[in-house]
Amino acid sequence: LESIQAALAKAQAVKVDDPASLAQAQALVAVIQQEKAAVEALLAACDARALGALKAALAEASKLGLTGDEVSLAEQEAKAVEMEQECVASLVAATQSEDKAALDMAIEAAGALGLKGPELEAANALYSKLSAANATVVKLVALSSSDSIEAIAAGLSEADGLGLQGETAYHNCVARQQRLQEESQLLRDLAAAVASEDLAALSKLVAACMRLGIATKYPAEMTRAKQAASDLEAKKQVSVALAKCTVAGDLDGLEVALAKAEALGLGNSEGVLKAKEAKVEIEATRNAEMVLVEAMTKEAAYPGEPTRIVALQKALEAALEGGGALAASDRVAQAKATLERHGATSDALAKVRLAMATMDLGLLNLALEKAITLGIEETEAIKDAAAFRDELAAKEEVLQAVVAACDTLEMRAQGRGGISASDVEDLSELLGRSGDVVAELRKGVHARQIDHALSLQARMLQVLRCQEELAACEARGATIDRAALHKALSDARELEMDLDLMVPLSRLLRELDAEYQKGREARDATLSMDEAYEEAALRARVRNAKALEKKFGFSNCPALRSPDDFAKGVLNGKRRLKDGMLKWQPTLIPRSLTDLDAENSKVSVQVHKALLGYMGDKSMAFPATLAQDVLHKGLEQPQLRDEIYAQIMKQLSSNPAADSIAKGWQMMCMCVSTFPPSQDFELYLIHFMHVQKTKKGAVRNYAQYCHRTLDGILASGASGFVPSVEEIQAYKERPPVLATVELVDGMLLTEGLPVTPDLTVGKVVEICSHLLELTDTRADCMGIFVYDVPLDAAVALVDPDADKPFGDLERTPRPLRNEDFMGDVIVHKARQKRDFKFVFKRKIFLPDHNTPSEDPMFSRLNYLQAEDEVLWQGKVPIKSEATVVKIASIAYYLAVGEGWALKTAQEMAEDQDTPLVGFLPPNSQLANPHNSKAKDANSAPKALTDWRSLKTPAQWAELLVARRSEVMATSPAKLQQDLVEAVWEHDLYGAHFFNVHKLSSDSALTAALPFDLRVAFNAKGMWVFDTALTVLHFSHYSDIYRWGGSSSQFSLVIWSHATESTFELKLSTAQAADMAGILLDYINSIVGANLNPAH
């Protein structure tokens, strides 16, 4: 092909002009190319062994007339592929039909052809499986007669794996396995029945073995089972015999049966043991019966003889204790009847004696009837009792008359019109006419009835007198005496009288009380403060003591309506409304609680609606305005005051909501600060508060506050002041409290001072100044301090701050800012569970204020505070011994008084009641005092000296005695001023100290400070000391750039003149707010003094 193509190319190149030859050559090229393609197709089909491609290629080669090796090879390859496909088809068909012979021939043919592939593998696998199944079936046939359950189970498992469940041999093996399992279970049940000695089960199982025909197969097991059944049958018969003999009480039969049981080895069985016990009981019963017969015989010979009755009782008890047939026998019944008759006779005679002793006619009649029934009416004792009964019947007639007269009188006394003298005369005449009989009746069981009659007579006579007094008061009209009317109504209520006449008189008394209150207020205005206080305190003590009586309980108040009147006109829930008249209710009341006229009753319903709104029981807007409305009504309409208090008491009774209770008590607090109740109602209101004070938590605190405030307004009258909306809303922030304030020396300034929620410390300072009648203009420098009372080591209390960084620091007196609220302080301390006290003393000390005062009380307060700081706290160290002696001699004289003149120096030194050392300052003046011109005081100071240890008490006493004449010749007021002047120029006079821990060490100055420090503030500035009061640093307020703190830290940014830079001093303390407050107070005071030099 290539040669011809090359020649054609050359011919074309040289342009041969022979078209025929060129055409012939080109046709030859085409034929040769077809033949070449056919040969390539043959070779490709052979390589692919594709039968279709081979046949197509051979057909093309035949068409072209090709012969040769390629054609022969292709023909052979096509024949081989066709034979292989036929073999594969035979393998697939034999596999699908699971024909073992066809599989054998197909596999053999495939081997001859050298054929491989999945069809051959599947055929070989199936052939192996079919061969194994045939072997397993043969095995199952052999196992169907085997006695080995395990071998059968293994064969069945193998057959399950080969899917031979349908083979007959498989089913035979399953049946054989079930039969063997049934036999095995039967043998196990036989063994269990033998072991448990269950005769019924054993009999059934033996019968089952016989029925299955396996008795000969298991001879040993069957023999053992039959023997066990025989033994159990014998034991059963013995047990039945024992039971029958026990029930029948057959002692002889019981002994025979027990012997058989012993022979069978049943000696310790439960049945035999019970039989033995029964034998003992039967023997005891026979003995008891013999004793009972003997006792009955002897009692019949001597009826009622005590010793024989006792013997019969014992014999009967023994017979009954034995139980059984003897207990139900006729002999026992006869013995019981004998003893019952004897007991009935004795009881009848005893009741006769008791009735005669107590003169009880009813009991005596019953006892005599019983005696007749028993046939002993002819005995002397019964005849005497019959005669006594006739006498007693006559007395009973008198008693019944007295009781009837009492009932009649009490019924008439319940009428609202009262009683008449003739009503009482009937009872009095009867008691007088039957005096001897009444006296005798009073000694017996009827003493209570006679005493009641006598008491009723006396009380009704009092009621008559009281009615006369009330009638006289009514007759006087406008000239009525208030005290007489008050006494008459009080006596009537004491006697629980409820008369129509009392209603208008009670209203009249309220009007007179209002006039009296105005008059008393006018009279009190003319009294001195001490006289007015003493009189008010006396009235309060009498009033509070009387209010403790139970008769002043809320429900006993005569001003209240009756429940029927309160619920009048209500149809639905009337019973519930009546029962809850004096208990909390979230709905409007139908009318007033107290007996008011129709117009005021309508206003009372409006008051109750406002109360519901304020207390949150009814959703209403502006609750503070609602409270104001109630207070205005009570202040402006005195006739509504008792109603308002009664409604609040009602809403606080059985109230289930804590928030509503708190709001109700807040309303009560505002009422008792605004207007008093009437004199008729005050004791009932105070009694209510007494009861509430016994409760725990906030209710007790509210009740104490209200009671204290009520005492005040009852003494002073209505305040004429209604709190503003803002003041009412303050109750949400903090509760009202009672505050006790002391002076520095521990003397009480005021105890139980009512502090409303809006009352600031500044207002309390004003009140305290007013109580002390301070007139000095420097009184505004006074303040309230909080002193923490140390925890008592003997009481198991845990300090709430013990685990905090400042927990080891002792708290110093806390100066309160005037803007603080007293209530907040008390609540905060309560939450901390810390005991504390308020102390009224001077807070601000400015140098310009160091002048004597013309106010003796202000001078006294200054003296007490100076004495406290110098002698007791040691905060103002003293420099010279002469000053120490001067201070000590003044303080000692003012403490012991004129008795000092009688004491020698030795007696002063040895006096244990008034130790001299306590009047000596504990510390000397600092060795390195502050130089007011310097800005820092950081040079190393020396330690303080303890004046008390420099000399003995005797030596100090001699020094004080040397000044005694001079001191005692000076007036106490002048001495007090001398002591104050001796210390008021001191740098630390009036300083407020705080114990702190140092936290910062980021500067040379703070790094040099120790961990434990004391910081003080006064008019000069801020001082930093160590714990021995050695000055470590001082700064004027102008050098303190910033300050602030948290609950546990206080920080100051201070200018240092030495380094001409600022440094930060961080301190750990629980009094950061107190430090910031006093610092700011001093700065404001200094600035204020500079702006107003005259002040």
Side-chain angles (χ1 to χ4, degrees), residues 127-299:
Y127 187 82
S128 299
K129 180 180 178 182
L130 292 175
S131 299
N134 288 337
T136 302
V137 170
V138 173
K139 185 177 181 180
L140 288 176
V141 171
L143 287 173
S144 62
S145 60
S146 173
D147 287 336
S148 174
I149 295 176
E150 293 78 8
I152 294 173
L156 289 172
S157 176
E158 184 178 347
D160 288 338
L162 294 172
L164 300 177
Q165 291 88 345
E167 297 290 335
T168 303
Y170 183 89
H171 291 296
N172 292 339
C173 282
V174 170
R176 182 65 177 174
Q177 184 186 44
Q178 292 175 347
R179 173 62 181 266
L180 292 175
Q181 288 174 341
E182 186 178 355
E183 291 177 2
S184 177
Q185 182 61 45
L186 199 56
L187 292 176
R188 286 195 296 273
D189 292 344
L190 270 176
V194 170
S196 64
E197 296 186 348
D198 187 343
L199 179 59
L202 196 56
S203 300
K204 289 181 181 180
L205 291 170
V206 169
C209 290
M210 298 298 291
R211 185 173 61 255
L212 292 174
I214 63 172
T216 56
K217 187 175 180 180
Y218 305 103
E221 289 81 353
M222 292 301 297
T223 301
R224 187 161 52 251
K226 290 179 179 180
Q227 183 61 47
S230 177
D231 292 343
L232 290 174
E233 183 63 33
K235 292 178 180 179
K236 177 181 177 183
Q237 292 177 0
V238 170
S239 298
V240 171
L242 287 172
K244 288 181 178 180
C245 293
T246 300
V247 173
D250 183 358
L251 186 60
D252 297 334
L254 196 57
E255 290 177 347
V256 172
L258 284 171
K260 290 181 180 180
E262 291 290 343
L264 290 172
L266 299 176
N268 293 324
S269 68
E270 183 179 358
V272 171
L273 294 175
K274 288 183 177 180
K276 289 179 179 180
E277 294 175 358
K279 178 185 174 185
V280 174
E281 292 175 0
I282 292 170
E283 291 174 344
T285 300
R286 286 188 177 182
N287 294 334
E289 185 177 9
M290 293 171 62
V291 172
L292 181 61
V293 170
E294 182 180 358
M296 291 175 64
T297 303
K298 290 181 178 179
E299 195 281 331

Side-chain angles (χ1 to χ4, degrees), residues 275-600:
K276 289 179 179 180
E277 294 175 358
K279 178 185 174 185
V280 174
E281 292 175 0
I282 292 170
E283 291 174 344
T285 300
R286 286 188 177 182
N287 294 334
E289 185 177 9
M290 293 171 62
V291 172
L292 181 61
V293 170
E294 182 180 358
M296 291 175 64
T297 303
K298 290 181 178 179
E299 195 281 331
Y302 300 95
E305 203 276 321
T307 58
R308 299 183 188 274
I309 289 295
V310 172
L312 181 58
Q313 285 176 333
K314 290 182 178 180
L316 180 60
E317 289 171 1
L320 292 174
E321 185 178 355
L326 180 59
S329 65
D330 293 339
R331 289 193 182 93
V332 169
Q334 186 179 356
K336 285 182 178 178
T338 301
L339 290 174
E340 287 173 358
R341 176 178 172 76
H342 175 76
T345 302
S346 300
D347 182 59
L349 292 173
K351 287 182 177 178
V352 166
R353 290 191 293 271
L354 176 62
M356 293 175 67
T358 59
M359 294 188 294
D360 188 337
L361 181 60
L363 180 60
L364 184 56
N365 282 327
L366 291 174
L368 289 174
E369 289 176 7
K370 186 67 174 177
I372 294 171
T373 303
L374 295 170
I376 58 172
E377 67 273 13
E378 294 302 323
T379 61
E380 290 299 323
I382 298 303
K383 289 179 180 180
D384 292 342
F388 184 79
R389 176 187 57 186
D390 296 338
E391 297 176 6
L392 198 56
K395 295 177 182 177
E396 183 72 15
E397 184 179 353
V398 173
L399 177 65
Q400 294 302 325
V402 170
V403 170
C406 289
D407 291 343
T408 302
L409 183 55
E410 286 178 328
M411 182 178 65
R412 291 177 178 173
Q414 291 175 0
R416 295 184 62 84
I419 60 173
S420 64
S422 61
D423 294 333
V424 184
E425 287 174 0
D426 293 341
L427 177 61
S428 300
E429 190 274 333
L430 179 58
L431 292 173
R433 184 178 68 247
S434 307
D436 295 339
V437 176
V438 169
E440 290 183 19
L441 287 171
R442 200 174 183 188
K443 298 176 183 177
V445 294
H446 303 296
R448 183 179 60 82
Q449 293 163 296
I450 297 301
D451 287 342
H452 171 68
L454 294 172
S455 174
L456 180 64
Q457 178 192 26
R459 188 163 69 88
M460 290 299 106
L461 290 173
Q462 290 179 331
V463 168
L464 281 175
R465 286 194 295 271
C466 191
Q467 285 182 183
E468 293 172 358
E469 293 173 359
L470 290 172
C473 290
E474 183 184 35
R476 291 191 188 99
T479 62
I480 192 171
D481 179 65
R482 173 190 161 277
L485 178 57
H486 186 276
K487 180 181 181 303
L489 285 173
S490 296
D491 290 345
R493 288 165 187 155
E494 288 277 353
L495 294 169
E496 299 179 356
M497 296 169 61
D498 187 17
L499 306 179
D500 291 333
L501 177 63
M502 295 170 62
V503 175
L505 290 178
S506 296
R507 292 173 181 164
L508 178 59
L509 181 60
R510 284 196 290 271
E511 296 172 2
L512 294 175
D513 280 341
E515 294 177 4
Y516 173 77
Q517 181 67 22
K518 293 179 182 178
R520 190 174 70 181
E521 291 173 5
R523 183 178 61 84
D524 288 347
T526 64
L527 298 176
S528 68
M529 182 177 291
D530 290 340
E531 290 173 337
Y533 177 81
E534 288 299 327
E535 184 171 339
L538 177 61
R539 286 198 296 263
R541 285 194 296 272
V542 173
R543 184 171 54 240
N544 290 330
K546 189 173 183 180
L548 288 171
E549 299 176 23
K550 290 184 178 180
K551 66 182 180 181
F552 292 111
F554 183 26
S555 60
N556 298 328
C557 179
L560 295 173
R561 296 179 184 271
S562 68
D564 289 326
D565 186 20
F566 177 69
K568 185 170 60 177
V570 176
L571 299 178
N572 295 327
K574 186 170 187 176
R575 168 56 60 187
R576 183 171 62 254
L577 184 63
K578 289 166 59 177
D579 293 342
M581 175 181 168
L582 300 182
K583 295 179 181 178
W584 171 85
Q585 67 179 71
T587 56
L588 277 179
I589 57 176
R591 55 184 48 80
S592 63
L593 297 176
T594 55
D595 190 10
L596 296 175
D597 57 36
E599 187 62 31
N600 284 316

Side-chain angles (χ1 to χ4, degrees), residues 482-798:
R482 173 190 161 277
L485 178 57
H486 186 276
K487 180 181 181 303
L489 285 173
S490 296
D491 290 345
R493 288 165 187 155
E494 288 277 353
L495 294 169
E496 299 179 356
M497 296 169 61
D498 187 17
L499 306 179
D500 291 333
L501 177 63
M502 295 170 62
V503 175
L505 290 178
S506 296
R507 292 173 181 164
L508 178 59
L509 181 60
R510 284 196 290 271
E511 296 172 2
L512 294 175
D513 280 341
E515 294 177 4
Y516 173 77
Q517 181 67 22
K518 293 179 182 178
R520 190 174 70 181
E521 291 173 5
R523 183 178 61 84
D524 288 347
T526 64
L527 298 176
S528 68
M529 182 177 291
D530 290 340
E531 290 173 337
Y533 177 81
E534 288 299 327
E535 184 171 339
L538 177 61
R539 286 198 296 263
R541 285 194 296 272
V542 173
R543 184 171 54 240
N544 290 330
K546 189 173 183 180
L548 288 171
E549 299 176 23
K550 290 184 178 180
K551 66 182 180 181
F552 292 111
F554 183 26
S555 60
N556 298 328
C557 179
L560 295 173
R561 296 179 184 271
S562 68
D564 289 326
D565 186 20
F566 177 69
K568 185 170 60 177
V570 176
L571 299 178
N572 295 327
K574 186 170 187 176
R575 168 56 60 187
R576 183 171 62 254
L577 184 63
K578 289 166 59 177
D579 293 342
M581 175 181 168
L582 300 182
K583 295 179 181 178
W584 171 85
Q585 67 179 71
T587 56
L588 277 179
I589 57 176
R591 55 184 48 80
S592 63
L593 297 176
T594 55
D595 190 10
L596 296 175
D597 57 36
E599 187 62 31
N600 284 316
S601 182
K602 290 180 181 179
V603 179
S604 298
V605 175
Q606 297 172 5
V607 168
H608 191 250
K609 182 177 181 180
L611 274 180
L612 292 176
Y614 180 74
M615 294 174 66
D617 299 320
K618 184 178 178 67
S619 181
M620 296 177 69
F622 310 112
T625 304
L626 296 174
Q628 257 192 339
D629 182 57
V630 173
L631 296 173
H632 275 299
K633 283 184 171 62
L635 184 63
E636 297 164 3
Q637 303 179 57
Q639 70 275 16
L640 293 177
R641 293 175 181 176
D642 292 351
E643 174 68 20
I644 293 172
Y645 280 116
Q647 287 190 21
I648 297 174
M649 293 159 69
K650 166 187 168 67
Q651 293 302 109
L652 289 174
S653 300
S654 303
N655 191 329
D659 188 59
S660 175
I661 292 173
K663 294 288 184 63
W665 276 109
Q666 292 168 14
M667 193 71 240
M668 181 74 83
C669 293
M670 289 183 270
C671 286
V672 295
S673 300
T674 307
F675 53 81
S678 71
Q679 192 171 7
D680 279 351
F681 194 76
E682 62 185 25
L683 295 179
Y684 298 94
L685 179 57
I686 295 172
H687 182 89
F688 177 82
M689 292 177 180
H690 276 311
V691 173
Q692 300 302 311
K693 286 194 296 184
T694 62
K695 298 181 179 180
K696 296 181 180 180
V699 170
R700 178 178 61 186
N701 296 335
Y702 276 123
Q704 289 173 339
Y705 175 89
C706 289
H707 189 186
R708 181 69 178 84
T709 309
L710 179 61
D711 281 342
I713 205 163
L714 286 174
S716 61
S719 66
F721 165 77
V722 172
S724 65
V725 170
E726 292 75 15
E727 290 168 339
I728 294 174
Q729 288 175 337
Y731 279 86
K732 293 182 180 179
E733 305 297 328
R734 63 195 67 84
V737 293
L738 295 176
T740 296
V741 184
E742 302 178 5
L743 297 180
V744 174
D745 61 349
M747 186 183 78
L748 284 178
L749 172 55
T750 177
E751 184 175 13
L753 174 68
V755 178
T756 56
D758 61 301
L759 203 60
T760 62
V761 172
K763 291 293 184 181
V764 176
V765 170
E766 291 179 12
I767 293 171
C768 292
S769 299
H770 176 72
L771 292 174
L772 293 171
E773 299 180 359
L774 296 180
T775 58
D776 195 293
T777 57
R778 289 166 289 186
D780 59 359
C781 293
M782 304 300 290
I784 300 293
F785 288 72
V786 179
Y787 281 56
D788 275 346
V789 177
L791 294 174
D792 189 350
V795 180
L797 293 177
V798 178

Side-chain angles (χ1 to χ4, degrees), residues 894-1014:
L894 293 178
V896 302
E898 298 298 326
W900 187 21
L902 305 176
K903 287 187 176 183
T904 64
Q906 188 64 30
E907 289 173 338
M908 291 171 60
E910 296 175 355
D911 189 352
Q912 297 299 317
D913 294 332
T914 312
L916 180 60
V917 70
F919 296 92
L920 299 170
N923 296 326
S924 73
Q925 173 64 49
L926 296 176
N928 191 30
H930 162 61
N931 182 356
S932 60
K933 296 180 180 180
K935 293 295 182 180
D936 293 306
N938 298 322
S939 56
K942 297 180 182 179
L944 299 178
T945 302
D946 184 359
W947 286 111
R948 296 174 178 178
S949 63
L950 288 179
K951 298 180 184 296
T952 65
Q955 291 172 328
W956 283 116
E958 291 290 349
L959 294 174
L960 263 66
V961 168
R963 291 195 78 250
R964 179 163 58 190
S965 298
E966 178 186 351
V967 170
M968 296 186 68
T970 308
S971 69
K974 180 63 169 61
L975 291 174
Q976 290 180 164
Q977 185 60 35
D978 288 346
L979 187 145
V980 172
E981 292 180 5
V983 298
W984 69 14
E985 294 297 336
H986 195 284
D987 283 342
L988 297 181
Y989 178 60
H992 300 281
F993 283 78
F994 301 94
N995 297 314
V996 300
H997 290 318
K998 182 193 72 173
L999 292 180
S1000 59
S1001 299
D1002 51 358
S1003 67
L1005 191 149
T1006 56
L1009 296 175
F1011 179 68
D1012 293 322
L1013 299 171
R1014 299 188 74 186

